């Protein structure tokens, strides 16, 4: 169990190595934690079963002409550009990176991940208001970064809005799955954990939420998470 004084709610995650981590606020008593775990048994069993049936197969990418990277469900071929007009940009159906970056895979990875973060954050901000209205919650602040083994998190902050964090790799997925993650985290503003009440609330906003969850589990295990191969 990981205890944090900044955390307000309990959370359970399945790490990429298969281990379980219970995150709890400081001062959380054992009875509350046990109740939370009991309510999440069905979610946890489903998560572990899917992991066993479909182990992660995240690809390795190289920064060379023709390599494919996805954005919002569509594959884009990479083009190394000697013009140097910006580090990373999307032009005429290609993801273009400056030639100087193409010669340095670590720098290229950093630049491309930064591009996913910037473009993803702009996109998510444009989608937040209608989903918040549908869930009848206030719009939280939104950031895009590496959130480890989760696609998104919501944390109550010092202010009233709280903060939603989305994984940069999420924006490789089709838009309807990014929307699902956004709605999933917004539901946690009202209900913590993944009990029956939580899924009932999410189903009101997305009637097909179980189908989207299965699709996310399937596609998510095959997303590029930043692993790069040796280039010759």
């Amino acid at each position: 169990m990981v205890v944090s004084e900044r955390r307000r709610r309990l959370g359970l995650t399945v790490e990429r190595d298969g281990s379980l981590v219970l995150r709890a606020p400081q001062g959380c008593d054992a009875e509350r934690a046990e109740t939370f775990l009991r309510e999440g048994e069905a979610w946890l069993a489903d998560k572990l079963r899917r992991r066993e049936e479909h182990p992660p197969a995240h690809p390795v990418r190289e920064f060379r002409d023709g390599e494919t990277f996805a954005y919002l469900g569509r594959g884009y071929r990479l083009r190394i550009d000697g013009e140097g007009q910006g580090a990373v940009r999307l032009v005429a159906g290609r993801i273009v990176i400056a030639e100087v970056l193409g010669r340095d895979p670590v720098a290229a990875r950093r630049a491309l991940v930064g591009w996913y973060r910037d473009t993803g954050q702009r996109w998510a901000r444009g989608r937040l208001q209608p989903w918040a209205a549908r869930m009848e919650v206030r719009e939280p602040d939104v950031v895009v970064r590496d959130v480890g083994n989760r696609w998104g998190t919501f944390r109550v902050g010092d202010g009233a809005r709280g903060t939603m964090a989305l994984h940069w790799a999420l924006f490789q997925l089709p838009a309807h799955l990014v929307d699902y993650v956004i709605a999933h985290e917004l539901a946690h503003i009202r209900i913590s954990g993944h009990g029956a009440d939580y899924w009932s609330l999410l189903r009101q906003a997305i009637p097909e939420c179980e189908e989207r969850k299965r699709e996310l589990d399937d596609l998510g295990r095959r997303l590029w998470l930043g692993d790069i191969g040796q280039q010759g």
Side-chain angles (χ1 to χ4, degrees):
M1 183 168 71
V2 177
V3 178
S4 171
E5 62 181 14
R6 296 181 59 188
R7 192 173 186 90
R8 304 283 183 86
R9 301 176 180 181
L10 287 157
L12 182 65
T13 59
V14 181
E15 303 299 314
R16 291 199 178 101
D17 62 3
S19 62
L20 305 179
V21 177
L22 176 64
R23 292 177 168 82
Q26 196 168 42
C28 176
D29 59 67
E31 183 178 355
R32 179 185 172 191
E34 289 174 3
T35 299
F36 177 81
L37 290 172
R38 283 197 301 271
E39 291 177 347
E41 282 180 356
W43 171 85
L44 178 58
D46 180 66
K47 199 80 168 177
L48 294 175
R49 177 180 59 81
R50 291 184 182 278
R51 181 183 179 85
E52 184 175 343
E53 293 175 351
H54 306 287
H58 301 297
V60 173
R61 293 282 186 260
E62 295 183 7
F63 290 93
R64 59 185 180 185
D65 279 324
E67 183 69 279
T68 301
F69 292 89
Y71 177 62
L72 292 180
R74 177 182 171 184
Y76 292 90
R77 296 289 183 182
L78 186 69
R79 190 176 83 227
I80 308 300
D81 181 15
E83 299 288 324
Q85 298 175 0
V88 181
R89 59 197 191 281
L90 189 60
V91 180
R94 292 281 191 123
I95 292 178
V96 181
I97 67 172
E99 186 176 20
V100 66
L101 292 174
R103 296 193 297 266
D104 183 346
V106 175
R109 177 197 183 279
R110 187 184 306 116
L112 185 55
V113 169
W115 179 83
Y116 276 117
R117 291 178 61 171
D118 293 343
T119 57
Q121 184 157 330
R122 287 194 296 271
W123 189 90
R125 283 174 174 167
R127 308 287 275 197
L128 200 59
Q129 189 279 328
W131 283 110
R134 188 178 298 186
M135 306 292 291
E136 298 181 346
V137 297
R138 293 189 61 175
E139 291 179 55
D141 294 324
V142 60
V143 297
V144 177
R145 56 181 177 81
D146 189 333
V147 292
N149 298 297
R150 292 166 286 179
W151 297 122
T153 66
F154 173 77
R155 290 189 178 182
V156 177
D158 295 332
R161 295 167 62 92
T163 300
M164 177 190 296
L166 301 173
H167 200 299
W168 64 264
L170 182 68
F171 294 92
Q172 298 169 72
L173 292 169
H176 69 279
L177 294 182
V178 185
D179 279 339
Y180 165 78
V181 175
I182 289 173
H184 183 105
E185 298 307 326
L186 288 173
H188 281 308
I189 296 177
R190 295 178 57 181
I191 301 176
S192 61
H194 294 90
D197 289 348
Y198 171 85
W199 288 105
S200 177
L201 173 62
L202 186 58
R203 199 173 294 113
Q204 292 175 26
I206 305 180
E208 66 281 11
C209 61
E210 286 91 350
E211 178 182 336
R212 292 198 186 184
K213 179 182 180 300
R214 288 192 294 269
E215 189 178 358
L216 175 64
D217 289 342
D218 178 46
L219 294 181
R221 71 186 183 89
R222 291 180 273 128
L223 288 185
W224 179 66
L225 296 181
D227 292 331
I228 53 179
Q230 185 175 358
Q231 297 181 214

